[in-house]
């Protein structure tokens, strides 16, 4: 339900289900939106209904399934602030961190620096 004067954010994913790590994405987006002063009251995550069949005539009703994640992500501001603080600490260092490559480089996505980091390991 959307109340007048407040906003609902809908994060649309190119996926057929809600993945656990989407909640972290949503927590960050809610944090940023609320810090920017948006009167955000609800957050939903939408994904494709993989059983949906286009009926024609420009009717896309039912293509997306919305999941209300408001309760799951609105209370995570402190956690997001800790992530930001950690990222700022890393970004402020003069030398890049030495964490090494591993499974974290591919889960949940392939990192864009894989080629670079693996070249360091080979050097
Ligand atoms: S490839 Fe990405 S995740 Fe893996 S060590 Fe390098 S920067 Fe970190």
């Amino acid at each position: 339900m959307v109340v007048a004067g407040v906003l609902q954010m809908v994060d649309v994913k190119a996926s057929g289900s809600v993945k656990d790590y989407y909640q972290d994405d949503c927590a960050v987006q809610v944090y940023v939106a609320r810090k920017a002063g948006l009167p955000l009251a609800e957050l939903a995550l939408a994904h494709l209904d993989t059983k949906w069949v286009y009926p024609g005539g420009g009717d896309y009703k039912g293509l997306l399934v919305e999941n209300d994640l408001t309760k799951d992500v609105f209370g995570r501001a402190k956690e997001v602030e800790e992530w930001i603080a950690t990222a700022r600490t890393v970004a402020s260092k003069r030398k890049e961190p030495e964490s090494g490559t591993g499974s974290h480089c591919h889960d949940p996505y392939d990192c864009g620096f894989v080629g670079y980091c693996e070249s360091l390991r080979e050097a």
Side-chain angles (χ1 to χ4, degrees):
M1 182 180 85
V2 179
V3 178
V6 296
L7 300 175
Q8 177 198 40
M9 179 185 285
V10 180
D11 183 352
V12 180
K13 300 292 190 190
S15 172
S17 63
V18 177
K19 310 282 193 301
D20 287 345
Y21 56 86
Y22 290 166
Q23 294 199 17
D24 292 348
D25 294 349
C26 292
V28 171
Q29 291 177 52
V30 164
Y31 177 85
V32 171
R34 295 176 96 186
K35 279 290 185 184
L38 293 179
L40 197 60
E42 296 179 9
L43 178 125
L45 189 142
H47 62 79
L48 298 167
D49 179 349
T50 56
K51 295 189 173 108
W52 181 83
V53 177
Y54 179 56
D59 180 6
Y60 293 93
K61 188 176 177 186
L63 172 61
L64 296 175
V65 178
E66 285 190 17
N67 302 269
D68 186 352
L69 297 185
T70 305
K71 288 184 181 146
D72 301 295
V73 300
F74 268 54
R76 298 180 65 189
K78 187 88 179 148
E79 190 178 357
V80 173
E81 287 175 349
E82 288 169 7
W83 295 339
I84 293 169
T86 299
R88 282 189 169 146
T89 300
V90 172
S92 69
K93 297 207 180 290
R94 296 183 65 87
K95 291 180 65 178
E96 61 193 54
E98 296 177 23
S99 65
T101 55
S103 61
H104 61 280
C105 305
H106 304 283
D107 182 25
Y109 303 106
D110 287 337
C111 175
F113 293 100
V114 168
Y116 170 75
C117 291
E118 287 185 346
S119 75
L120 294 178
R121 195 172 57 181
E122 294 162 5

